[in-house]
Amino acid sequence: MKSMKNARFWVLLSLAIGSIEAAEGPRPRGVAPEFAKFYKSTEAFTCISNPSIKLDASHVNDDYCDCPDGSDEPGTSACSYLSDLSPSFASDVSVKEPNISLALPGYYCKNKGHLPSYIPFLSVNDGVCDYEFCCDGSDEWAKVGGKACEDKCKEIGKEWRKNDEQRQKALGSAAKKRKELIIEAARLRKEIEGRIQTLGTQIEGSVITVNNLEAALAEVEKQEKGKVMKSSGSGSRVSVLAGLAKDRIEELRGALFDVWRQRDAAKERIAELEGILSTFKEEYNPNFNDEGVKRAVRSWEEYAAREKSPDDDAARDRDLDEFTKPDSDSGAIQWSEWEDPVESDTDVLYKIEEYLPKQIREWIDQKLRDLRVMLVENGILAGSRHSGSESKAVVNARDALKVAEDALRENQDQLKSHKEDLNKDYGQDDVFRALKGRCVSKDSGEYVYELCWLDRTKQRSKKGGSETGMGNFDRIDSITVDEEVPPDGKGIGSGERVVLRYENGQHCWNGPNRSTLVVLACAEKDEVWKIVEEEKCVYRMEVGTPAACGIAVNGREKAGGTPKEEL
């Protein structure tokens, strides 16, 4: 039913064009309807871009270029050589600065039964049937060399209308899919906005929790400062200090032993690398013209020629061996002399307190705590820590605060990330938000190329090996293109197109960082059509996607992917 309607449309259109042409009267060969007004007179002709030059009507299409703009030869190739460097004409002696730009876009082919079109003047009567532009064969009217081009507009037009019907159907389906992408993008955006609101509420509660835990930690620390602690052993302050010093020395001894071991491992690795480079220098081909390889060899030769520092590792190792021995073996420090238990001042204090009544003990204890807190806070007295440890109450309070601070920081980072995401450019109607993270690939024989929307492009060899990053998404942009669309419609066509720029990919050997320009056109599904390397490590992908259908570029709606059916 639909095909019948389309056929009826083309019949009516042909009749309408015929009626208009009949009403206008005959036009000179090669003149389009929009230029017919300049050729109405049967007695004289005025050059279109040079109205001061008038010719006899018989000079039109006489195969001689009289007008400096070529408008007197719409149906021949006589003026095809015209350019801005063309000399003046004998007919325009009185014109000081004639307009020598071609006034007509080309030879007009009526192509009855198909779409009318223009063909360059140079192709008129050149002995070649240019059915792509002139399916009616009218461009070879002179039959040069006996070459006659038959009218094929009926079958070409029929095939074109069939393909166009399929294209329009595909574009309709693509437009529907784009609407679905827009709905999905709106849903994702609303989801992020809801998450932002939730995070805002959670952050407000987390801030209150952190403030409360900070106050609780301060209170616990204050209480701990007021305590008069007995040492874990029965030793004096000197014996406690000796214990701390012994622990510290053991830590330093262990660290020194680790550094010693790491130094030996590094020396072995350097020796291995020097062996590899030495073998490389001996075996590389000096006739191989690669500046990178030559620079590497020269750098190795300079490195190998440097004077090495004297090797005194043996003496140093003996010292290190002595340093890392336990004190009990080396006899450097006799810790037992300093760790003998001696009754401390604190022990005496506790013994006096045992003889006091309970109420007096509690009163004195509280006063001592308050006094100690004041002295500690003013820096007069050191805190009551022993061996660098904290009480379980302080540790628990500090851990609880850290957990709350980490949760607050994580929520704040998420909030910042979501707000930045809302401000990112996802194209018109936010449509590329729905595609973000999805990937589409193309097998091109030796390699498989992959495009991940708003993420990265990459290349993978089918012979194995790691992936090569061809670029990371940078921004959405637009460019102007002018290319033919193949019969299957998988092409970017002409006009302005949305592009995705992927920059700072993996570095090329003796070249720049890889980059990819992804040119988009309207298609029924996401598909990589073509990949070319325009320059060294600079790639261009032509990709079809429903997201590119109907996108406004610089304020103009673009369908993309379909040829412009115009004269």
Side-chain angles (χ1 to χ4, degrees):
M1 186 69 180
K2 187 174 182 180
S3 60
M4 292 179 62
K5 289 183 178 179
N6 287 337
R8 190 181 306 160
F9 167 78
W10 283 104
V11 170
L12 292 174
L13 179 62
S14 299
L15 292 173
I17 293 175
S19 301
I20 293 172
E21 291 181 349
E24 290 178 345
R27 301 190 305 271
R29 180 185 287 111
V31 176
E34 61 264 34
F35 292 101
K37 60 183 179 182
F38 298 106
Y39 299 88
K40 285 183 177 181
S41 174
T42 58
E43 298 179 357
F45 176 73
T46 301
C47 298
I48 294 176
S49 301
N50 298 271
S52 61
I53 300 176
K54 298 184 182 297
L55 307 172
D56 189 272
S58 61
H59 288 278
V60 176
N61 281 341
D62 64 350
D63 207 23
Y64 185 83
C65 202
D66 297 294
C67 291
D69 58 13
S71 57
D72 63 310
E73 297 298 319
T76 74
S77 60
C79 298
S80 61
Y81 63 88
L82 287 180
S83 72
D84 293 339
L85 302 178
S86 299
S88 300
F89 287 67
S91 60
D92 60 9
V93 174
S94 60
V95 182
K96 294 183 179 180
E97 295 183 0
N99 188 337
I100 55 177
S101 298
L102 283 172
L104 302 174
Y107 176 91
Y108 179 74
C109 303
K110 294 181 180 179
N111 295 339
K112 189 175 181 181
H114 188 36
L115 298 178
S117 178
Y118 283 108
I119 190 172
F121 288 115
L122 193 63
S123 298
V124 177
N125 290 326
D126 62 350
V128 178
C129 297
D130 298 295
Y131 287 121
E132 183 180 358
F133 301 102
C134 261
C135 61
D136 59 5
S138 62
D139 59 313
E140 298 299 320
W141 55 267
K143 302 179 181 179
V144 176
K147 180 71 173 180
C149 297
E150 61 177 307
D151 187 343
K152 293 186 176 182
C153 286
K154 185 176 180 180
E155 51 264 40
I156 291 176
K158 182 179 179 181
E159 182 65 22
W160 183 91
R161 287 188 291 276
K162 179 182 177 181
N163 292 336
D164 184 65
E165 184 177 351
Q166 294 176 349
R167 284 195 297 268
Q168 295 304 322
K169 183 178 179 181
L171 287 176
S173 176
K176 182 179 179 181
K177 289 183 178 180
R178 185 178 189 276
K179 290 180 180 178
E180 293 173 356
L181 289 175
I182 293 174
I183 293 172
E184 175 64 12
R187 185 191 68 79
L188 291 172
R189 185 179 183 88
K190 190 173 182 180
E191 188 177 285
I192 293 174
E193 290 172 343
R195 181 60 180 157
I196 288 176
Q197 187 175 3
T198 300
L199 285 171
T201 304
Q202 290 177 349
I203 288 173
E204 290 178 1
S206 296
V207 169
I208 295 173
T209 301
V210 168
N211 291 337
N212 292 338
L213 290 174
E214 286 177 343
L217 175 61
E219 181 62 28
V220 171
E221 288 179 333
K222 182 178 179 181
Q223 293 176 3
E224 292 298 313
K225 288 177 183 178
K227 289 183 180 179
V228 181
M229 301 292 295
K230 291 181 65 178
S231 60
S232 57
S234 57
S236 65
R237 284 173 293 182
V238 175
S239 64
V240 172
L241 181 60
L244 294 174
K246 182 180 179 181
D247 293 341
R248 183 61 173 164
I249 288 174
E250 289 299 325
E251 290 177 4
L252 293 175
R253 182 180 287 113
L256 178 60
F257 185 77
D258 290 340
V259 172
W260 186 9
R261 187 175 60 235
Q262 291 170 8
R263 185 209 65 177
D264 290 343
K267 286 174 63 179
E268 292 177 2
R269 184 166 180 77
I270 290 172
E272 181 183 355
L273 292 175
E274 287 179 347
I276 293 172
L277 291 173
S278 178
T279 303
F280 172 70
K281 175 188 177 300
E282 294 172 359
E283 296 180 356
Y284 95 103
N285 183 5
N287 297 321
F288 182 66
N289 189 21
D290 191 313
E291 289 300 325
V293 174
K294 290 181 178 180
R295 282 197 300 271
V297 172
R298 285 197 298 269
S299 298
W300 162 246
E301 291 174 344
E302 293 172 0
Y303 169 81
R306 294 176 192 162
E307 183 179 355
K308 296 185 178 180
S309 59
D311 189 1
D312 56 352
D313 286 347
R316 188 178 295 111
D317 288 348
R318 285 194 299 271
D319 293 339
L320 290 173
D321 184 59
E322 191 65 28
F323 292 154
T324 54
K325 287 182 179 179
D327 291 324
S328 59
D329 296 338
S330 62
I333 301 176
Q334 299 297 329
W335 294 108
S336 59
E337 297 179 1
W338 304 93
E339 293 179 330
D340 290 336
V342 178
E343 188 176 64
S344 67
D345 301 334
T346 307
D347 294 330
V348 176
L349 177 62
Y350 275 97
K351 288 183 179 180
I352 294 175
E353 187 179 353
E354 291 176 358
Y355 297 99
L356 297 176
K358 180 180 178 181
Q359 292 183 346
I360 297 177
R361 284 203 310 269
E362 292 177 353
W363 181 82
I364 292 175
D365 183 66
Q366 184 61 46
K367 294 301 180 183
L368 287 173
R369 287 175 184 274
D370 294 341
L371 176 62
R372 183 174 177 79
V373 169
M374 182 191 70
L375 295 176
V376 170
E377 291 178 346
N378 287 277
I380 300 173
L381 188 65
S384 59
R385 295 183 180 181
H386 176 64
S387 300
S389 63
E390 291 181 323
S391 69
K392 186 176 181 180
V394 173
V395 170
N396 291 340
R398 195 180 302 281
D399 289 345
L401 176 60
K402 185 178 183 303
V403 170
E405 288 177 336
D406 290 344
L408 174 60
R409 193 176 301 109
E410 182 180 354
N411 287 340
Q412 289 173 334
D413 291 342
Q414 288 187 26
L415 181 63
K416 180 181 178 182
S417 176
H418 287 319
K419 286 184 175 180
E420 289 176 351
D421 185 74
L422 286 184
N423 293 326
K424 283 182 181 177
D425 180 15
Y426 282 98
Q428 183 181 329
D429 300 322
D430 230 20
V431 67
F432 291 107
R433 184 185 295 277
L435 291 178
K436 184 179 180 182
R438 298 186 192 178
C439 298
V440 58
S441 60
K442 179 178 178 62
D443 187 336
S444 65
E446 185 178 356
Y447 295 98
V448 174
Y449 294 90
E450 187 174 64
L451 161 69
C452 292
W453 296 102
L454 307 192
D455 185 9
R456 61 192 298 246
T457 54
K458 50 191 175 183
Q459 173 194 66
R460 184 178 69 256
S461 174
K462 296 174 71 175
K463 296 179 182 179
S466 60
E467 294 179 340
T468 300
M470 296 166 56
N472 299 298
F473 177 70
D474 183 65
R475 67 187 185 278
I476 300 175
D477 203 351
S478 65
I479 63 170
T480 301
V481 297
D482 186 12
E483 297 187 14
E484 294 293 331
V485 178
D488 60 5
K490 295 180 178 181
I492 59 177
S494 61
E496 287 202 69
R497 295 290 179 264
V498 173
V499 297
L500 308 178
R501 295 189 181 273
Y502 290 72
E503 309 287 350
N504 296 318
Q506 192 169 327
H507 188 73
C508 267
W509 174 258
N510 283 342
N513 290 340
R514 288 174 171 82
S515 62
T516 308
L517 180 70
V518 180
V519 187
L520 304 180
C522 180
E524 191 173 2
K525 63 178 182 179
D526 295 340
E527 185 177 8
V528 178
W529 291 332
K530 184 178 178 183
I531 305 106
V532 294
E533 188 172 4
E534 296 184 318
E535 300 175 25
K536 184 175 183 179
C537 299
V538 177
Y539 304 90
R540 168 175 163 140
M541 279 188 182
E542 295 180 4
V543 179
T545 174
C549 299
I551 288 184
V553 182
N554 295 333
R556 296 189 296 275
E557 290 289 323
K558 295 289 179 182
T562 57
K564 296 169 65 178
E565 311 304 342
E566 59 186 15
L567 301 183

